[in-house]
Amino acid sequence: MKAGLLYASHVRILLFGGTAFLGRAIVEAAVAAGHEPTLFTRGKTNPELFPHLEHVVGDRESELSLLGDREFDVVVDTSGYLPSVVRASARRLAGRAERYVFISTISVYEDAELLTEHTATLRPSDPESRDLNRDYGGLKKLCEEEVESAFPGGSLVLRPGLIVGAHDYSGRFSYWPRRLARGGEVLAPGRPETRVWLLDVRDLAEWTIRLVEHRTTGVYNTAGPDSPLTMGAVLEECRVAGATNARFTWVDDAFLVEREVVPYTELPLWVPGGDGGYPTIDVSKALAAGLTFRPIGETIRAVLDEDGTSGSGGLFGWTRPPAGLDAERERSLLDEWRARAEP
């Protein structure tokens, strides 16, 4: 870790994003720490949030001029997906900000059993691609390089895995607390002992602000928790938090693959094969830099305390329905699984 002296007072933060999920949590963490971030947003996702803060409303792809010649201590970029867009932002703010924090992704890595900050990374076949479904990891890696080029020695790159918690528009975790809260027979995918990786959005946000305050730079894998967490433990915690009569029927990978159940989408957290198909993520560097993890039960309760909706947001606006099986599809799969198992 490379870190300088603490800022003497509140930090002037410019945040790209700030009203959807991770950006929202970072704003909340910054305000709780005594800072007053400026939000550069399109004004389309939860525009009513944070009325006491300054909002610069515009499209960062074409309206960076709205920033004028203003200066900031730190830029925090939660919404950079395309290298050309991040390049323009980073170059515009080089010399007008001391540091640039870029939220990247663990998806930048090539397949490997162990992911460290030095594991080989992906490259898109077309650097100008805008196809995030095909080239997401490679494009994010190019975005990292744009930031590092514009802010030599002044960049902080965080590579999170699955981020979960309240206000998640994707449903990639929240499906489970809400499904278990409904009770009844629940289709549980794979094996209960399969390890899963997830990180509460508040843990990532609060740690990001601490790193900002300490002027930290470098590259950090940012996943959790720090001790093994299994699929079975997650679902049991969801059942307890929901206080329902939910019961699990574990269905094996091969059956689900044969029925073309979509991993991570129809059944969140599930990836077939081996130990759930997940590599081991080395987070020792992040732990040494102060990343901490709250109990999974707190994350589940935060999801259940929501009003049941997630809002919109995400990659250029989340237009797909939240992840998870609908009730009819789940029942059909369970009936077929049971019939197959009967003599």
Side-chain angles (χ1 to χ4, degrees):
M1 176 180 68
K2 181 180 179 182
L5 297 174
L6 281 165
Y7 283 96
S9 59
H10 77 275
V11 185
R12 298 173 299 165
I13 301 172
L14 172 65
L15 184 68
F16 283 114
T19 57
F21 196 37
L22 176 57
R24 176 177 184 164
I26 290 176
V27 172
E28 291 171 347
V31 170
H35 312 302
E36 295 184 3
T38 296
L39 313 186
F40 194 111
T41 77
R42 295 174 301 161
K44 296 181 178 181
T45 302
N46 303 319
E48 74 285 355
L49 289 179
F50 313 119
H52 60 294
L53 298 177
E54 179 186 9
H55 293 241
V56 178
V57 179
D59 186 333
R60 62 182 292 185
E61 191 163 0
S62 58
E63 297 179 291
L64 288 172
S65 60
L66 293 171
L67 292 171
D69 294 328
R70 297 183 55 183
E71 296 185 351
F72 302 90
D73 296 312
V74 179
V75 179
V76 179
D77 190 344
T78 69
S79 61
Y81 304 104
L82 300 176
S84 60
V85 175
V86 173
R87 180 188 312 126
S89 301
R91 291 182 180 180
R92 173 84 190 190
L93 290 154
R96 296 187 176 98
E98 179 185 344
R99 297 178 191 275
Y100 198 115
V101 180
F102 183 70
I103 307 300
S104 186
T105 172
I106 212 78
S107 297
V108 300
Y109 294 117
E110 294 182 357
D111 289 339
E113 292 184 1
L114 174 64
L115 303 182
T116 76
E117 286 82 358
H118 302 292
T119 299
T121 52
L122 298 168
R123 311 292 296 186
S125 56
D126 176 9
E128 300 303 318
S129 169
R130 300 177 72 92
D131 187 341
L132 292 171
N133 290 320
R134 183 190 66 194
D135 296 318
Y136 177 63
L139 291 173
K140 288 289 271 191
K141 174 56 181 172
L142 294 184
C143 290
E144 292 181 6
E145 293 174 2
E146 294 294 348
V147 170
E148 291 163 345
S149 174
F151 283 78
S155 65
L156 171 63
V157 172
L158 304 182
R159 294 172 174 168
L162 179 62
I163 310 169
V164 303
H167 310 299
D168 177 10
Y169 46 82
S170 74
R172 292 178 302 168
F173 171 79
S174 55
Y175 166 78
W176 289 115
R178 291 171 182 161
R179 172 62 190 91
L180 271 291
R182 297 202 308 269
E185 185 182 16
V186 176
L187 191 159
R191 298 175 296 119
E193 64 269 21
T194 296
R195 182 172 183 177
V196 296
W197 294 82
L198 48 85
L199 177 63
D200 191 296
V201 65
R202 295 167 294 177
D203 291 331
L204 176 54
E206 292 164 10
W207 184 58
T208 299
I209 294 303
R210 292 196 297 273
L211 296 178
V212 163
E213 292 171 337
H214 283 81
R215 292 186 163 99
T216 304
T217 59
V219 178
Y220 293 82
N221 284 346
T222 311
D226 52 343
S227 57
L229 178 66
T230 66
M231 189 71 174
V234 169
L235 297 191
E236 179 60 21
E237 288 276 6
C238 291
R239 187 192 66 78
V240 171
T244 68
N245 64 349
R247 61 193 185 279
F248 308 128
T249 296
W250 290 92
V251 178
D252 71 32
D253 289 347
F255 175 88
L256 296 172
V257 170
E258 287 172 6
R259 272 83 190 155
E260 298 183 345
V261 177
V262 183
Y264 239 74
T265 300
E266 286 190 284
L267 283 172
L269 301 183
W270 172 64
V271 179
D275 190 14
Y278 291 95
T280 297
I281 306 170
D282 181 1
V283 294
S284 57
K285 186 178 178 184
L287 295 177
L291 177 61
T292 58
F293 308 95
R294 67 194 69 211
I296 184 63
E298 291 187 21
T299 304
I300 293 167
R301 285 191 292 274
V303 170
L304 292 176
D305 285 345
E306 287 188 87
D307 62 6
T309 60
S310 301
S312 60
L315 306 186
F316 306 105
W318 186 267
T319 57
R320 288 171 286 173
L325 288 174
D326 63 44
E328 183 177 349
R329 168 86 154 144
E330 181 186 32
R331 174 52 49 198
S332 175
L333 288 167
L334 285 169
D335 288 346
E336 189 176 355
W337 172 254
R338 198 163 18 254
R340 174 175 167 164
E342 292 174 353

mmCIF file of all heavy atoms in Angstrom, residues 1-7 11 13 26 29-30 33 35 74 76 101 156 158 199 202-217 286-287 289-294:
data_model
loop_
_atom_site.group_PDB
_atom_site.id
_atom_site.type_symbol
_atom_site.label_atom_id
_atom_site.label_comp_id
_atom_site.label_asym_id
_atom_site.label_seq_id
_atom_site.Cartn_x
_atom_site.Cartn_y
_atom_site.Cartn_z
ATOM 1 N N MET A 1 0.834 -1.198 0.000
ATOM 2 C CA MET A 1 0.000 0.000 0.000
ATOM 3 C C MET A 1 0.865 1.243 0.000
ATOM 4 O O MET A 1 1.841 1.339 0.722
ATOM 5 C CB MET A 1 -0.889 0.015 1.257
ATOM 6 C CG MET A 1 -1.736 1.276 1.396
ATOM 7 S SD MET A 1 -2.782 1.267 2.887
ATOM 8 C CE MET A 1 -1.527 1.380 4.178
ATOM 9 N N LYS A 2 0.488 2.206 -0.799
ATOM 10 C CA LYS A 2 1.139 3.500 -0.772
ATOM 11 C C LYS A 2 0.148 4.513 -0.240
ATOM 12 O O LYS A 2 -0.948 4.682 -0.764
ATOM 13 C CB LYS A 2 1.606 3.917 -2.170
ATOM 14 C CG LYS A 2 2.309 5.267 -2.188
ATOM 15 C CD LYS A 2 2.749 5.626 -3.584
ATOM 16 C CE LYS A 2 3.436 6.992 -3.618
ATOM 17 N NZ LYS A 2 3.820 7.365 -5.006
ATOM 18 N N ALA A 3 0.509 5.201 0.829
ATOM 19 C CA ALA A 3 -0.410 6.175 1.424
ATOM 20 C C ALA A 3 0.382 7.382 1.883
ATOM 21 O O ALA A 3 1.530 7.281 2.310
ATOM 22 C CB ALA A 3 -1.164 5.557 2.590
ATOM 23 N N GLY A 4 -0.246 8.540 1.792
ATOM 24 C CA GLY A 4 0.368 9.764 2.268
ATOM 25 C C GLY A 4 -0.226 10.177 3.600
ATOM 26 O O GLY A 4 -0.868 9.390 4.289
ATOM 27 N N LEU A 5 -0.040 11.431 3.963
ATOM 28 C CA LEU A 5 -0.604 11.935 5.203
ATOM 29 C C LEU A 5 -2.108 12.094 5.064
ATOM 30 O O LEU A 5 -2.648 12.276 3.972
ATOM 31 C CB LEU A 5 0.036 13.288 5.543
ATOM 32 C CG LEU A 5 1.540 13.274 5.807
ATOM 33 C CD1 LEU A 5 2.026 14.705 5.987
ATOM 34 C CD2 LEU A 5 1.874 12.436 7.022
ATOM 35 N N LEU A 6 -2.805 12.019 6.200
ATOM 36 C CA LEU A 6 -4.233 12.270 6.213
ATOM 37 C C LEU A 6 -4.526 13.695 5.764
ATOM 38 O O LEU A 6 -3.745 14.611 6.028
ATOM 39 C CB LEU A 6 -4.792 12.073 7.623
ATOM 40 C CG LEU A 6 -5.037 10.643 8.091
ATOM 41 C CD1 LEU A 6 -5.223 10.628 9.599
ATOM 42 C CD2 LEU A 6 -6.245 10.069 7.405
ATOM 43 N N TYR A 7 -5.657 13.875 5.077
ATOM 44 C CA TYR A 7 -6.091 15.227 4.783
ATOM 45 C C TYR A 7 -6.386 15.947 6.089
ATOM 46 O O TYR A 7 -6.923 15.371 7.034
ATOM 47 C CB TYR A 7 -7.346 15.203 3.901
ATOM 48 C CG TYR A 7 -7.070 14.889 2.457
ATOM 49 C CD1 TYR A 7 -7.202 13.595 1.975
ATOM 50 C CD2 TYR A 7 -6.668 15.880 1.570
ATOM 51 C CE1 TYR A 7 -6.951 13.300 0.636
ATOM 52 C CE2 TYR A 7 -6.419 15.600 0.231
ATOM 53 C CZ TYR A 7 -6.558 14.310 -0.218
ATOM 54 O OH TYR A 7 -6.302 14.025 -1.539
ATOM 55 N N VAL A 11 -12.496 16.494 2.608
ATOM 56 C CA VAL A 11 -11.907 16.244 1.301
ATOM 57 C C VAL A 11 -12.880 16.712 0.218
ATOM 58 O O VAL A 11 -14.073 16.434 0.266
ATOM 59 C CB VAL A 11 -11.610 14.742 1.120
ATOM 60 C CG1 VAL A 11 -10.874 14.501 -0.195
ATOM 61 C CG2 VAL A 11 -10.801 14.203 2.291
ATOM 62 N N ILE A 13 -14.397 16.029 -2.913
ATOM 63 C CA ILE A 13 -14.575 14.824 -3.720
ATOM 64 C C ILE A 13 -15.512 15.115 -4.881
ATOM 65 O O ILE A 13 -16.597 15.667 -4.695
ATOM 66 C CB ILE A 13 -15.169 13.677 -2.873
ATOM 67 C CG1 ILE A 13 -14.256 13.348 -1.687
ATOM 68 C CG2 ILE A 13 -15.397 12.436 -3.738
ATOM 69 C CD1 ILE A 13 -14.875 12.359 -0.702
ATOM 70 N N ILE A 26 -21.304 5.196 -1.373
ATOM 71 C CA ILE A 26 -20.096 5.998 -1.196
ATOM 72 C C ILE A 26 -20.455 7.414 -0.765
ATOM 73 O O ILE A 26 -19.801 8.005 0.099
ATOM 74 C CB ILE A 26 -19.250 5.993 -2.479
ATOM 75 C CG1 ILE A 26 -18.622 4.606 -2.688
ATOM 76 C CG2 ILE A 26 -18.153 7.054 -2.425
ATOM 77 C CD1 ILE A 26 -17.843 4.461 -3.983
ATOM 78 N N ALA A 29 -21.322 7.252 2.864
ATOM 79 C CA ALA A 29 -20.124 7.095 3.682
ATOM 80 C C ALA A 29 -19.322 8.388 3.750
ATOM 81 O O ALA A 29 -18.781 8.746 4.811
ATOM 82 C CB ALA A 29 -19.256 5.964 3.125
ATOM 83 N N ALA A 30 -19.242 9.097 2.630
ATOM 84 C CA ALA A 30 -18.498 10.365 2.607
ATOM 85 C C ALA A 30 -19.160 11.397 3.505
ATOM 86 O O ALA A 30 -18.481 12.107 4.280
ATOM 87 C CB ALA A 30 -18.408 10.883 1.172
ATOM 88 N N ALA A 33 -18.626 10.761 7.107
ATOM 89 C CA ALA A 33 -17.256 11.082 7.519
ATOM 90 C C ALA A 33 -16.980 12.583 7.529
ATOM 91 O O ALA A 33 -15.854 13.004 7.797
ATOM 92 C CB ALA A 33 -16.263 10.373 6.604
ATOM 93 N N HIS A 35 -17.571 14.818 4.845
ATOM 94 C CA HIS A 35 -17.246 15.398 3.545
ATOM 95 C C HIS A 35 -18.532 15.798 2.815
ATOM 96 O O HIS A 35 -19.626 15.337 3.162
ATOM 97 C CB HIS A 35 -16.443 14.406 2.710
ATOM 98 C CG HIS A 35 -15.293 13.789 3.452
ATOM 99 N ND1 HIS A 35 -14.290 14.541 4.015
ATOM 100 C CD2 HIS A 35 -15.020 12.486 3.758
ATOM 101 C CE1 HIS A 35 -13.425 13.726 4.625
ATOM 102 N NE2 HIS A 35 -13.847 12.488 4.485
ATOM 103 N N VAL A 74 -9.960 14.744 -4.823
ATOM 104 C CA VAL A 74 -10.053 13.359 -5.280
ATOM 105 C C VAL A 74 -11.242 13.213 -6.213
ATOM 106 O O VAL A 74 -12.308 13.783 -5.975
ATOM 107 C CB VAL A 74 -10.231 12.393 -4.086
ATOM 108 C CG1 VAL A 74 -10.354 10.949 -4.581
ATOM 109 C CG2 VAL A 74 -9.072 12.507 -3.116
ATOM 110 N N VAL A 76 -13.710 10.198 -7.587
ATOM 111 C CA VAL A 76 -14.123 8.806 -7.378
ATOM 112 C C VAL A 76 -15.052 8.439 -8.528
ATOM 113 O O VAL A 76 -16.105 9.049 -8.699
ATOM 114 C CB VAL A 76 -14.827 8.611 -6.028
ATOM 115 C CG1 VAL A 76 -15.267 7.152 -5.871
ATOM 116 C CG2 VAL A 76 -13.910 9.021 -4.867
ATOM 117 N N VAL A 101 -9.734 7.795 -8.035
ATOM 118 C CA VAL A 101 -10.118 6.462 -7.576
ATOM 119 C C VAL A 101 -11.032 5.850 -8.626
ATOM 120 O O VAL A 101 -12.082 6.423 -8.948
ATOM 121 C CB VAL A 101 -10.840 6.528 -6.222
ATOM 122 C CG1 VAL A 101 -11.228 5.124 -5.756
ATOM 123 C CG2 VAL A 101 -9.970 7.222 -5.180
ATOM 124 N N LEU A 156 -5.858 5.133 -7.670
ATOM 125 C CA LEU A 156 -6.247 4.025 -6.806
ATOM 126 C C LEU A 156 -7.281 3.217 -7.574
ATOM 127 O O LEU A 156 -8.334 3.740 -7.957
ATOM 128 C CB LEU A 156 -6.844 4.539 -5.497
ATOM 129 C CG LEU A 156 -7.490 3.490 -4.580
ATOM 130 C CD1 LEU A 156 -6.459 2.464 -4.109
ATOM 131 C CD2 LEU A 156 -8.160 4.164 -3.387
ATOM 132 N N LEU A 158 -9.681 -0.124 -7.480
ATOM 133 C CA LEU A 158 -10.290 -1.161 -6.652
ATOM 134 C C LEU A 158 -10.995 -2.151 -7.565
ATOM 135 O O LEU A 158 -11.755 -1.760 -8.442
ATOM 136 C CB LEU A 158 -11.278 -0.549 -5.664
ATOM 137 C CG LEU A 158 -10.720 0.542 -4.748
ATOM 138 C CD1 LEU A 158 -11.787 1.030 -3.786
ATOM 139 C CD2 LEU A 158 -9.494 0.047 -3.985
ATOM 140 N N LEU A 199 -19.581 -9.076 -1.029
ATOM 141 C CA LEU A 199 -19.097 -7.958 -0.223
ATOM 142 C C LEU A 199 -20.223 -6.961 -0.040
ATOM 143 O O LEU A 199 -20.816 -6.494 -1.020
ATOM 144 C CB LEU A 199 -17.911 -7.285 -0.922
ATOM 145 C CG LEU A 199 -17.309 -6.040 -0.259
ATOM 146 C CD1 LEU A 199 -16.722 -6.387 1.108
ATOM 147 C CD2 LEU A 199 -16.243 -5.426 -1.159
ATOM 148 N N ARG A 202 -21.810 -1.399 1.772
ATOM 149 C CA ARG A 202 -21.397 -0.422 2.779
ATOM 150 C C ARG A 202 -19.947 -0.641 3.208
ATOM 151 O O ARG A 202 -19.225 0.324 3.480
ATOM 152 C CB ARG A 202 -22.330 -0.489 3.989
ATOM 153 C CG ARG A 202 -23.757 -0.075 3.685
ATOM 154 C CD ARG A 202 -24.694 -0.456 4.810
ATOM 155 N NE ARG A 202 -24.806 -1.903 4.940
ATOM 156 C CZ ARG A 202 -25.527 -2.508 5.882
ATOM 157 N NH1 ARG A 202 -26.205 -1.790 6.767
ATOM 158 N NH2 ARG A 202 -25.587 -3.834 5.938
ATOM 159 N N ASP A 203 -19.509 -1.907 3.252
ATOM 160 C CA ASP A 203 -18.111 -2.178 3.598
ATOM 161 C C ASP A 203 -17.177 -1.620 2.534
ATOM 162 O O ASP A 203 -16.144 -1.017 2.850
ATOM 163 C CB ASP A 203 -17.888 -3.686 3.755
ATOM 164 C CG ASP A 203 -18.583 -4.253 4.978
ATOM 165 O OD1 ASP A 203 -18.758 -3.519 5.966
ATOM 166 O OD2 ASP A 203 -18.969 -5.434 4.938
ATOM 167 N N LEU A 204 -17.545 -1.813 1.262
ATOM 168 C CA LEU A 204 -16.722 -1.275 0.183
ATOM 169 C C LEU A 204 -16.736 0.252 0.204
ATOM 170 O O LEU A 204 -15.686 0.897 0.057
ATOM 171 C CB LEU A 204 -17.223 -1.789 -1.162
ATOM 172 C CG LEU A 204 -16.531 -1.233 -2.414
ATOM 173 C CD1 LEU A 204 -15.019 -1.414 -2.350
ATOM 174 C CD2 LEU A 204 -17.102 -1.878 -3.675
ATOM 175 N N ALA A 205 -17.895 0.848 0.403
ATOM 176 C CA ALA A 205 -18.009 2.306 0.373
ATOM 177 C C ALA A 205 -17.237 2.948 1.523
ATOM 178 O O ALA A 205 -16.496 3.926 1.326
ATOM 179 C CB ALA A 205 -19.483 2.702 0.446
ATOM 180 N N GLU A 206 -17.405 2.441 2.707
ATOM 181 C CA GLU A 206 -16.728 3.029 3.866
ATOM 182 C C GLU A 206 -15.218 2.873 3.760
ATOM 183 O O GLU A 206 -14.465 3.797 4.122
ATOM 184 C CB GLU A 206 -17.265 2.394 5.151
ATOM 185 C CG GLU A 206 -18.712 2.775 5.431
ATOM 186 C CD GLU A 206 -19.384 1.888 6.460
ATOM 187 O OE1 GLU A 206 -18.670 1.068 7.108
ATOM 188 O OE2 GLU A 206 -20.617 1.994 6.619
ATOM 189 N N TRP A 207 -14.770 1.735 3.249
ATOM 190 C CA TRP A 207 -13.336 1.528 3.064
ATOM 191 C C TRP A 207 -12.790 2.458 1.993
ATOM 192 O O TRP A 207 -11.699 3.026 2.131
ATOM 193 C CB TRP A 207 -13.077 0.077 2.692
ATOM 194 C CG TRP A 207 -11.633 -0.298 2.572
ATOM 195 C CD1 TRP A 207 -10.658 -0.197 3.524
ATOM 196 C CD2 TRP A 207 -10.994 -0.851 1.415
ATOM 197 N NE1 TRP A 207 -9.460 -0.659 3.029
ATOM 198 C CE2 TRP A 207 -9.640 -1.070 1.748
ATOM 199 C CE3 TRP A 207 -11.444 -1.199 0.148
ATOM 200 C CZ2 TRP A 207 -8.730 -1.620 0.838
ATOM 201 C CZ3 TRP A 207 -10.543 -1.746 -0.755
ATOM 202 C CH2 TRP A 207 -9.202 -1.949 -0.400
ATOM 203 N N THR A 208 -13.550 2.651 0.927
ATOM 204 C CA THR A 208 -13.123 3.580 -0.129
ATOM 205 C C THR A 208 -12.884 4.968 0.446
ATOM 206 O O THR A 208 -11.876 5.620 0.129
ATOM 207 C CB THR A 208 -14.179 3.642 -1.244
ATOM 208 O OG1 THR A 208 -14.332 2.342 -1.839
ATOM 209 C CG2 THR A 208 -13.776 4.641 -2.322
ATOM 210 N N ILE A 209 -13.771 5.444 1.287
ATOM 211 C CA ILE A 209 -13.607 6.773 1.870
ATOM 212 C C ILE A 209 -12.399 6.811 2.806
ATOM 213 O O ILE A 209 -11.650 7.804 2.820
ATOM 214 C CB ILE A 209 -14.886 7.209 2.599
ATOM 215 C CG1 ILE A 209 -16.020 7.388 1.588
ATOM 216 C CG2 ILE A 209 -14.661 8.505 3.373
ATOM 217 C CD1 ILE A 209 -15.732 8.377 0.481
ATOM 218 N N ARG A 210 -12.167 5.742 3.546
ATOM 219 C CA ARG A 210 -10.962 5.719 4.398
ATOM 220 C C ARG A 210 -9.695 5.777 3.549
ATOM 221 O O ARG A 210 -8.728 6.466 3.901
ATOM 222 C CB ARG A 210 -10.968 4.467 5.281
ATOM 223 C CG ARG A 210 -12.052 4.459 6.347
ATOM 224 C CD ARG A 210 -11.780 3.413 7.416
ATOM 225 N NE ARG A 210 -11.771 2.050 6.927
ATOM 226 C CZ ARG A 210 -12.833 1.269 6.815
ATOM 227 N NH1 ARG A 210 -14.041 1.754 7.135
ATOM 228 N NH2 ARG A 210 -12.731 0.021 6.391
ATOM 229 N N LEU A 211 -9.675 5.058 2.435
ATOM 230 C CA LEU A 211 -8.517 5.108 1.540
ATOM 231 C C LEU A 211 -8.336 6.506 0.954
ATOM 232 O O LEU A 211 -7.206 7.004 0.823
ATOM 233 C CB LEU A 211 -8.682 4.090 0.408
ATOM 234 C CG LEU A 211 -8.708 2.618 0.809
ATOM 235 C CD1 LEU A 211 -8.938 1.745 -0.426
ATOM 236 C CD2 LEU A 211 -7.426 2.200 1.516
ATOM 237 N N VAL A 212 -9.448 7.144 0.585
ATOM 238 C CA VAL A 212 -9.387 8.513 0.081
ATOM 239 C C VAL A 212 -8.769 9.430 1.127
ATOM 240 O O VAL A 212 -7.884 10.253 0.827
ATOM 241 C CB VAL A 212 -10.807 8.992 -0.301
ATOM 242 C CG1 VAL A 212 -10.853 10.511 -0.431
ATOM 243 C CG2 VAL A 212 -11.252 8.336 -1.606
ATOM 244 N N GLU A 213 -9.212 9.316 2.356
ATOM 245 C CA GLU A 213 -8.716 10.180 3.428
ATOM 246 C C GLU A 213 -7.224 9.980 3.676
ATOM 247 O O GLU A 213 -6.525 10.927 4.069
ATOM 248 C CB GLU A 213 -9.492 9.900 4.707
ATOM 249 C CG GLU A 213 -10.951 10.334 4.635
ATOM 250 C CD GLU A 213 -11.770 9.871 5.821
ATOM 251 O OE1 GLU A 213 -11.368 8.867 6.473
ATOM 252 O OE2 GLU A 213 -12.794 10.491 6.110
ATOM 253 N N HIS A 214 -6.741 8.767 3.441
ATOM 254 C CA HIS A 214 -5.323 8.463 3.661
ATOM 255 C C HIS A 214 -4.471 8.633 2.408
ATOM 256 O O HIS A 214 -3.295 8.286 2.406
ATOM 257 C CB HIS A 214 -5.170 7.031 4.189
ATOM 258 C CG HIS A 214 -5.524 6.877 5.632
ATOM 259 N ND1 HIS A 214 -6.826 6.752 6.069
ATOM 260 C CD2 HIS A 214 -4.749 6.858 6.744
ATOM 261 C CE1 HIS A 214 -6.830 6.630 7.386
ATOM 262 N NE2 HIS A 214 -5.585 6.700 7.811
ATOM 263 N N ARG A 215 -5.074 9.169 1.335
ATOM 264 C CA ARG A 215 -4.342 9.369 0.086
ATOM 265 C C ARG A 215 -3.707 8.076 -0.441
ATOM 266 O O ARG A 215 -2.602 8.065 -0.989
ATOM 267 C CB ARG A 215 -3.254 10.429 0.262
ATOM 268 C CG ARG A 215 -3.763 11.850 0.481
ATOM 269 C CD ARG A 215 -2.580 12.812 0.502
ATOM 270 N NE ARG A 215 -2.963 14.191 0.324
ATOM 271 C CZ ARG A 215 -3.100 15.071 1.315
ATOM 272 N NH1 ARG A 215 -2.918 14.686 2.562
ATOM 273 N NH2 ARG A 215 -3.429 16.321 1.050
ATOM 274 N N THR A 216 -4.408 6.964 -0.298
ATOM 275 C CA THR A 216 -3.873 5.668 -0.711
ATOM 276 C C THR A 216 -3.903 5.526 -2.228
ATOM 277 O O THR A 216 -4.838 5.970 -2.887
ATOM 278 C CB THR A 216 -4.694 4.539 -0.068
ATOM 279 O OG1 THR A 216 -4.693 4.708 1.354
ATOM 280 C CG2 THR A 216 -4.121 3.175 -0.409
ATOM 281 N N THR A 217 -2.878 4.895 -2.777
ATOM 282 C CA THR A 217 -2.828 4.601 -4.210
ATOM 283 C C THR A 217 -2.507 3.123 -4.407
ATOM 284 O O THR A 217 -2.170 2.406 -3.470
ATOM 285 C CB THR A 217 -1.773 5.461 -4.920
ATOM 286 O OG1 THR A 217 -0.484 5.202 -4.324
ATOM 287 C CG2 THR A 217 -2.096 6.945 -4.786
ATOM 288 N N ALA A 286 -5.788 -5.939 0.523
ATOM 289 C CA ALA A 286 -6.890 -5.098 0.989
ATOM 290 C C ALA A 286 -7.072 -5.205 2.501
ATOM 291 O O ALA A 286 -7.336 -4.202 3.179
ATOM 292 C CB ALA A 286 -8.178 -5.484 0.268
ATOM 293 N N LEU A 287 -6.926 -6.410 3.037
ATOM 294 C CA LEU A 287 -7.053 -6.577 4.484
ATOM 295 C C LEU A 287 -5.980 -5.777 5.218
ATOM 296 O O LEU A 287 -6.252 -5.134 6.239
ATOM 297 C CB LEU A 287 -6.951 -8.058 4.852
ATOM 298 C CG LEU A 287 -8.071 -8.964 4.346
ATOM 299 C CD1 LEU A 287 -7.793 -10.411 4.725
ATOM 300 C CD2 LEU A 287 -9.413 -8.520 4.895
ATOM 301 N N ALA A 289 -4.751 -3.118 4.244
ATOM 302 C CA ALA A 289 -5.097 -1.703 4.089
ATOM 303 C C ALA A 289 -6.392 -1.338 4.814
ATOM 304 O O ALA A 289 -6.904 -0.237 4.636
ATOM 305 C CB ALA A 289 -5.223 -1.359 2.611
ATOM 306 N N GLY A 290 -6.928 -2.276 5.602
ATOM 307 C CA GLY A 290 -8.035 -1.928 6.480
ATOM 308 C C GLY A 290 -9.420 -2.316 6.028
ATOM 309 O O GLY A 290 -10.407 -1.892 6.642
ATOM 310 N N LEU A 291 -9.550 -3.146 4.968
ATOM 311 C CA LEU A 291 -10.879 -3.589 4.559
ATOM 312 C C LEU A 291 -11.453 -4.510 5.628
ATOM 313 O O LEU A 291 -10.792 -5.437 6.088
ATOM 314 C CB LEU A 291 -10.807 -4.336 3.228
ATOM 315 C CG LEU A 291 -12.120 -4.917 2.705
ATOM 316 C CD1 LEU A 291 -13.155 -3.832 2.449
ATOM 317 C CD2 LEU A 291 -11.877 -5.740 1.435
ATOM 318 N N THR A 292 -12.688 -4.238 6.040
ATOM 319 C CA THR A 292 -13.366 -5.045 7.046
ATOM 320 C C THR A 292 -14.716 -5.518 6.502
ATOM 321 O O THR A 292 -15.230 -4.976 5.524
ATOM 322 C CB THR A 292 -13.584 -4.253 8.342
ATOM 323 O OG1 THR A 292 -14.347 -3.066 8.049
ATOM 324 C CG2 THR A 292 -12.253 -3.843 8.964
ATOM 325 N N PHE A 293 -15.295 -6.504 7.169
ATOM 326 C CA PHE A 293 -16.526 -7.125 6.694
ATOM 327 C C PHE A 293 -17.529 -7.240 7.836
ATOM 328 O O PHE A 293 -17.192 -7.756 8.897
ATOM 329 C CB PHE A 293 -16.240 -8.530 6.140
ATOM 330 C CG PHE A 293 -15.138 -8.564 5.122
ATOM 331 C CD1 PHE A 293 -13.833 -8.859 5.498
ATOM 332 C CD2 PHE A 293 -15.393 -8.285 3.796
ATOM 333 C CE1 PHE A 293 -12.800 -8.893 4.571
ATOM 334 C CE2 PHE A 293 -14.380 -8.313 2.858
ATOM 335 C CZ PHE A 293 -13.077 -8.610 3.244
ATOM 336 N N ARG A 294 -18.738 -6.772 7.623
ATOM 337 C CA ARG A 294 -19.786 -6.952 8.617
ATOM 338 C C ARG A 294 -20.401 -8.344 8.457
ATOM 339 O O ARG A 294 -20.289 -8.971 7.393
ATOM 340 C CB ARG A 294 -20.845 -5.860 8.493
ATOM 341 C CG ARG A 294 -21.680 -5.887 7.229
ATOM 342 C CD ARG A 294 -22.423 -4.579 7.079
ATOM 343 N NE ARG A 294 -21.495 -3.490 6.798
ATOM 344 C CZ ARG A 294 -21.685 -2.228 7.171
ATOM 345 N NH1 ARG A 294 -22.793 -1.887 7.821
ATOM 346 N NH2 ARG A 294 -20.796 -1.301 6.906
#
